[in-house]
Amino acid sequence: MDLAIPSPSLEDYLYCSLRIAESEVFVGDIEPSRFIQNLDGRIEISVSDDPLPIGLFSAMVVDVESAINEGVHPFDVFDSDSKTAPYYRALFRAQSWSGADFRKPVLQAIYGDDEPWRPNLLILDRVTVFPEHRGRRAGLVAIRGLIERFRMGIGLIVMTPFPLQFEAEPHTPGGWEERSRLKLDEFGVGYDKALAKLRSYYATLGFRTIPRTRLMGLAADHKLPTLD
């Protein structure tokens, strides 16, 4: 009797699941970081009814509007986490009345002539797909799923495309284990070509490069393309 797990089909990758890690919320928290929701977890597909991990994701929701309502300056919220801090400086006009008005190049690149005030962000920090599952658009499917699930109340979805093979070498055993698992050292193209390929990849979902930044953004009300 053959008990081998069957190989996933292309259709399996179109219906992946996002398994979000459990998190604890301290109700008495008064730190500005309380307006940042971390979303970390695994990308999975079902093969013979068993979940098969095919990658990892990390994202953050920054609730700028609630911070302003509670009298907390948006800069303090973003500055409370090293991952979110660069986004405030790249996206917002700090001298605006609220401290949460998008810069003109951001508005023009993402919204055109429209200038909505929807400062909440969904930051797509990291999406990785294990080597044996690459080439099946699983990363795009996962990103699309994250956007659909968490864009309510969001104005802008943003990311910093960066080829992971060019990250600084890790300083922890866990970092080396991840790098080995992802086989990052096997990528052979140069940085510029790898970055251009990534940007083209994300543009498939409608992401646009934001001028004078390293970021790509997408209006939360943008109609997402199908990927089948």
Side-chain angles (χ1 to χ4, degrees):
M1 182 176 179
D2 186 7
L3 298 179
I5 298 175
S7 299
S9 68
L10 288 177
E11 187 175 10
D12 290 326
Y13 292 95
L14 293 176
Y15 299 98
C16 66
S17 300
L18 304 175
R19 187 174 298 277
I20 300 172
E22 293 184 3
S23 60
E24 181 181 22
V25 177
F26 176 45
V27 177
D29 190 2
I30 62 172
E31 296 298 322
S33 58
R34 70 186 186 274
F35 298 103
I36 301 175
Q37 178 186 3
N38 291 292
L39 306 167
D40 301 309
R42 298 196 305 268
I43 307 168
E44 299 178 342
I45 58 176
S46 294
V47 181
S48 296
D49 297 324
D50 293 322
L52 174 66
I54 65 169
L56 304 168
F57 67 87
S58 175
M60 292 157 286
V61 172
V62 186
D63 189 356
V64 178
E65 290 189 50
S66 292
I68 293 172
N69 291 339
E70 294 296 323
V72 178
H73 196 283
F75 172 82
D76 294 326
V77 176
F78 283 87
D79 199 51
S80 68
D81 190 312
S82 61
K83 290 184 178 181
T84 57
Y87 287 93
Y88 183 81
R89 297 174 179 86
L91 297 173
F92 293 100
R93 292 192 293 118
Q95 302 305 318
S96 65
W97 70 271
S98 65
D101 290 341
F102 289 127
R103 295 169 51 244
K104 278 288 185 181
V106 178
L107 290 170
Q108 292 171 356
I110 304 302
Y111 300 107
D113 295 330
D114 191 14
E115 294 192 10
W117 191 77
R118 297 196 299 267
N120 292 354
L121 296 188
L122 171 60
I123 299 174
L124 302 174
D125 180 56
R126 191 179 181 92
V127 175
T128 57
V129 176
F130 300 146
E132 61 270 28
H133 301 288
R134 291 173 187 155
R136 298 168 177 85
R137 312 188 92 184
L140 288 178
V141 173
I143 291 172
R144 193 184 192 284
L146 281 168
I147 293 171
E148 281 197 325
R149 179 64 179 82
F150 295 104
R151 67 179 168 184
M152 184 175 65
I154 297 296
L156 177 63
I157 301 150
V158 67
M159 64 168 69
T160 305
F162 186 82
L164 296 182
Q165 64 267 35
F166 294 99
E167 284 185 328
E169 292 187 351
H171 299 289
T172 64
W176 280 111
E177 183 179 347
E178 180 187 18
R179 189 175 183 87
S180 176
R181 176 70 179 92
L182 296 175
K183 297 183 179 179
L184 297 179
D185 294 327
E186 295 183 5
F187 288 96
V189 299
Y191 175 81
D192 290 340
K193 185 175 181 180
L195 181 59
K197 186 176 180 180
L198 263 185
R199 286 176 172 166
S200 177
Y201 181 74
Y202 295 131
T204 304
L205 287 174
F207 280 90
R208 300 176 182 176
T209 300
I210 298 175
R212 297 198 290 276
T213 75
R214 298 185 296 117
L215 312 182
M216 295 186 77
L218 176 71
D221 58 2
H222 177 82
K223 180 177 173 57
L224 297 171
T226 58
L227 297 174
D228 51 7

